[in-house]
Amino acid sequence: MPNTFSPNFPATTDQFVGFVVFWFISTPFLWLRPEKFKIPFLIVCLWCGIGMLAWMIWAVTTAKGVGPLWDAGENIPSGSAWGTSWLIMAGINQTLGGIAAGITNGSDFSRYSRGRTPYMVGTITSCVITSVIVSLVGLVTTASGQKLYGEIYWNPPDLLMRMMDNGNGSSKARAGVFFLAAGFAFTAMFENICGNAVSGGIDLAGLFPRYINIRRGAIITFVAAWVVQPWQLINRATTFIAVLSSFSVFLAPIIGIMACDYFLLRKRRIRLRFFISAFVFYVLNKILPVLDMDQIDPIDLYGTFTEAEAKRAGVVPLDDSPILRGVSGGRSTEHVVIHAEKDVLATPQYCINIAQRAIEDL
């Protein structure tokens, strides 16, 4: 594909077309509820994981071992002001910076967990075990690629393109590169949807709950990708490094401070009475009171609580909640029929609110 962009534009025509195709393929998945992501995520993770392992096995077998990169050891410039220990600490800091955004958004998805143990197992597996395995596979594949092609390719797409060129575009080369690239692309797509679009949607829904729900917020966040111009981040090294550094410089130290403060200093005990802010907040709400501030929903509409938690909170669990039998756009609100297994007093206006929320969720 010929490049029709100017040399000053930080992307080529084929790269920009790839971004457009990626964006449009990703968009329909924004209509999925977060709790429905399990099966698509399972498929793409298996696809990508098996593809990476197959790629590593192929590279090691074809090269008959790993290249000199594997045994290169440390290579610190003589004029460097930093020793090995400080470089290791810098690597740890950069690693935390890379996953800090995901850690920050962890609470958005931990609420979908059935308990503490599954969430902890999933977090440790993804952040520690999987990261180590992926790094090892990447290092072995890159070292074998160095032995095959005489160059070091740290970026997987670059190595895939070299495989295409080396195979002269044969059917085997095209098939192998296609399945590997598709696995990486779909994995990146779902990671982008979950970690960026949905998380942004949850944040926007929290800021403007009256006008924006999670789905609308995710769509707004996804459209904002055009404003961010990701091709600037990928193809300009200085910008890319600056973005990564911004995460590691701020978020990684903050996480360290918060972990030390919570686990070591406070020993997981937190007093929730912050006196000055509480007093100011109380006075402001007395001067400008919020209507119905002391009211709660009598029904757990979104299945937030377990049955025991709902009982403690004084609300009807979702399984025992009123069932919306029918809502017709052409009929008046009096035709909204609500039936409850328990005695729940619901005003006409409350019935209307339930109907409106049901329509929005649909």
Side-chain angles (χ1 to χ4, degrees):
M1 182 180 293
N3 183 23
T4 58
F5 293 151
S6 66
N8 296 326
F9 191 75
T12 58
T13 302
D14 56 342
Q15 292 174 344
F16 190 79
V17 170
F19 169 75
V20 174
V21 172
F22 179 87
W23 191 88
F24 275 102
I25 292 178
S26 304
T27 302
F29 291 96
L30 297 177
W31 271 260
L32 281 179
R33 295 177 179 272
E35 58 267 25
K36 301 294 184 182
F37 283 162
K38 182 177 181 180
I39 294 179
F41 259 105
L42 183 62
I43 294 174
V44 297
C45 286
L46 288 175
W47 187 345
C48 184
I50 294 173
M52 284 194 305
L53 292 175
W55 195 11
M56 180 187 70
I57 294 172
W58 171 86
V60 173
T61 304
T62 305
K64 295 181 173 55
V66 294
L69 178 65
W70 182 260
D71 301 318
E74 299 177 0
N75 186 18
I76 302 176
S78 58
S80 176
W82 307 102
T84 304
S85 301
W86 281 110
L87 291 176
I88 291 175
M89 292 302 298
I92 294 174
N93 193 52
Q94 291 176 359
T95 301
L96 287 176
I99 64 175
I103 295 174
T104 306
N105 297 329
S107 59
D108 293 337
F109 301 96
S110 62
R111 62 195 182 95
Y112 293 103
S113 178
R114 295 179 179 177
R116 179 183 300 178
T117 302
Y119 175 70
M120 293 178 63
V121 171
T123 302
I124 293 174
T125 302
S126 61
C127 291
V128 180
I129 299 176
T130 304
S131 297
V132 172
I133 293 176
V134 170
S135 300
L136 177 63
V137 170
L139 178 59
V140 172
T141 305
T142 301
S144 300
Q146 180 193 23
K147 191 174 181 180
L148 286 172
Y149 307 119
E151 296 183 39
I152 298 176
Y153 295 97
W154 288 112
N155 193 19
D158 294 339
L159 183 55
L160 289 175
M161 291 305 298
R162 182 57 190 269
M163 290 169 59
M164 279 281 290
D165 295 337
N166 190 70
N168 297 322
S170 65
S171 58
K172 292 182 179 179
R174 290 199 307 270
V177 170
F178 169 78
F179 284 108
L180 286 171
F184 291 146
F186 281 115
T187 303
M189 182 181 73
F190 277 98
E191 181 184 5
N192 184 45
I193 293 172
C194 184
N196 296 324
V198 175
S199 296
I202 292 174
D203 294 337
L204 290 175
L207 290 173
F208 310 102
R210 185 177 184 135
Y211 307 101
I212 300 177
N213 56 20
I214 296 177
R215 183 179 297 141
R216 294 172 187 168
I219 294 174
I220 293 173
T221 305
F222 215 63
V223 172
W226 292 92
V227 180
V228 177
Q229 301 181 18
W231 50 87
Q232 299 273 2
L233 307 180
I234 296 298
N235 288 343
R236 286 185 173 172
T238 54
T239 307
F240 185 67
I241 293 173
V243 171
L244 291 181
S245 299
S246 65
F247 282 112
S248 60
V249 166
F250 295 104
L251 293 180
I254 289 175
I255 291 173
I257 292 172
M258 292 176 63
C260 178
D261 178 76
Y262 179 68
F263 288 102
L264 300 181
L265 299 179
R266 300 181 185 272
K267 294 180 173 58
R268 296 190 298 174
R269 296 171 181 260
I270 296 179
R271 180 182 296 174
L272 299 179
R273 298 172 293 176
F274 304 120
F275 178 76
I276 296 178
S277 60
F279 177 76
V280 172
F281 183 73
Y282 178 80
V283 172
L284 290 176
N285 277 276
K286 284 297 183 181
I287 297 174
L288 302 171
V290 179
L291 297 178
D292 299 329
M293 195 171 185
D294 58 344
Q295 301 298 313
I296 64 172
D297 290 329
I299 302 166
D300 184 13
L301 296 175
Y302 299 102
T304 306
F305 306 111
T306 63
E307 186 173 354
E309 291 171 342
K311 186 176 180 180
R312 287 197 302 266
V315 297
V316 178
L318 181 64
D319 293 338
D320 298 331
S321 63
I323 301 172
L324 188 64
R325 286 187 171 177
V327 178
S328 176
R331 295 185 293 174
S332 62
T333 55
E334 287 79 10
H335 288 276
V336 176
V337 180
I338 293 188
H339 170 72
E341 295 179 4
K342 296 185 178 180
D343 293 332
V344 178
L345 296 178
T347 63
Q349 182 59 43
Y350 185 72
C351 298
I352 295 173
N353 292 340
I354 293 180
Q356 291 175 342
R357 291 184 183 181
I359 293 173
E360 290 178 357
D361 290 342
L362 291 175

